[in-house]
Amino acid sequence: MRIVIVGAGGRLGAALVREFDGKFEVTGFNRAQLDLSDLQSIREKLGTIDFDVLVNAAGFTKVDLCETQPDRAFLINAEGPAVLAEICRRKQARLIHFSTDYVFDGEKTEQYTEEDNANPISIYGESKQAGENNVLAAQDQNLVVRVSWVFGPDRPSFIDTMIQQAQENKKVDAISDKISTPTYTLDIAEMLPQFFIGDTPRVLHFANAGQCSWQEYAQYAVDCCDDVGLSLKAKTIGAAKLRDMTNWVARRPAYSVLSTAKYTALTGRSPRTWREAVSDYITRFYSKK
Ligand SMILES: NC(=O)c1ccc[n+]([C@@H]2O[C@H](COP(=O)([O-])OP(=O)(O)OC[C@H]3O[C@@H](n4cnc5c(N)ncnc54)[C@H](OP(=O)(O)O)[C@@H]3O)[C@@H](O)[C@H]2O)c1
């Protein structure tokens, strides 16, 4: 199978390229090679190559910057994906497009399913919702995969920032009243090929199992670092509150746990827990033993 990955320089896209290499015929495009804000150049670059599946892992993911650059957010997160979808339709290829838990408002107190209405509370979330709609409108075989709190070895994320802070400072805090679930890029790479051919749902939620606050997530990461012999100054992560984040420009959902019941019903498999995934990540990429 010929797989094209757009966003190949990002945290998720780079993991997908590496993990698919050798299993599929993979071509990755990073931002320099394919700019989603240049709609004509997307047509020129992708129009001439053949593929079976196009995975879009690119996006304008800087949530606060989207608030002050809404046109750019919609261009990259919605209009670019619409052009990808148009190209896929012409080639009868499937577009798998990544989206986010931030399409939800966070008002729910139980897991969000694929059937729940999106109601974004930020420009980032709005632009991602518009991208979902454009991808889904283009053809029935396209798939939107929503993930949350993505982490992995290809680009630092929250967990790496917390570990670095804990290495440098005795006191480290993280938010205790924002709840979702980390999703490991290597687990996304492992599960995604199940959806390359055959029937798929239109929208699919995928995250590691369970839920946590940022404080619990950071605390577990620090505990794992301790287990693998990485020396840290902070052993305990203190609690901060969402309302303390006065430097945030965009609103973020306080609760955005994605239900993976549909994934399990379709595949007969359950994602491993976020604790297993975090422990695996830290053992592989931070161990000093
Ligand atoms: N990170 C999370 O916690 C999270 C949570 C939920 C959903 N998601 C979704 O998961 C997907 C992957 O995110 P990620 O974590 O891998 O984020 P990421 O590391 O920021 O990757 C996004 C990639 O898109 C690229 N990009 C930005 N503007 C572009 C443009 N105009 N043309 C082409 N490429 C462009 C970036 O390029 P540069 O490298 O040059 O910046 C980057 O390589 C996205 O759809 C995101 O919305 C992420």
Side-chain angles (χ1 to χ4, degrees), residues 1-5 23-27 46 49-55 84 87-96 139 141-142 195-198:
M1 283 194 91
R2 296 156 304 177
I3 315 291
V4 163
I5 298 180
K23 300 181 185 125
F24 306 98
E25 203 180 298
V26 186
T27 311
L46 293 180
I49 60 170
D50 288 325
F51 51 84
D52 304 296
V53 177
L54 191 154
V55 179
L84 296 178
I87 294 165
C88 287
R89 189 179 57 213
R90 233 181 301 124
K91 293 180 187 289
Q92 298 188 333
R94 170 169 293 167
L95 173 56
I96 300 181
Q139 54 171 356
Q141 65 161 326
N142 290 347
F195 300 96
F196 284 171
I197 46 172

Side-chain angles (χ1 to χ4, degrees), residues 32-135:
Q33 293 161 323
L34 188 110
D35 183 348
L36 278 187
S37 69
D38 184 346
L39 305 183
Q40 192 46 37
S41 99
I42 304 177
R43 292 188 184 95
E44 286 162 12
K45 289 191 174 151
L46 293 180
T48 53
I49 60 170
D50 288 325
F51 51 84
D52 304 296
V53 177
L54 191 154
V55 179
N56 180 28
F60 188 17
T61 55
K62 296 186 173 74
V63 176
D64 287 324
L65 218 51
C66 286
E67 294 294 310
T68 50
Q69 300 181 15
D71 292 349
R72 189 166 168 72
F74 276 86
L75 183 59
I76 296 168
N77 291 339
E79 291 175 49
V83 173
L84 296 178
E86 165 200 309
I87 294 165
C88 287
R89 189 179 57 213
R90 233 181 301 124
K91 293 180 187 289
Q92 298 188 333
R94 170 169 293 167
L95 173 56
I96 300 181
H97 174 76
F98 278 92
S99 190
T100 169
D101 53 322
Y102 279 26
V103 297
F104 295 116
D105 60 18
E107 297 294 326
K108 242 183 127 178
T109 50
E110 55 190 48
Q111 299 182 350
Y112 281 96
T113 72
E114 292 84 348
E115 280 65 47
D116 283 315
N117 286 329
N119 183 31
I121 55 173
S122 64
I123 299 287
Y124 171 69
E126 281 177 28
S127 66
K128 292 294 289 186
Q129 183 191 21
E132 290 185 355
N133 291 340
N134 288 344
V135 166

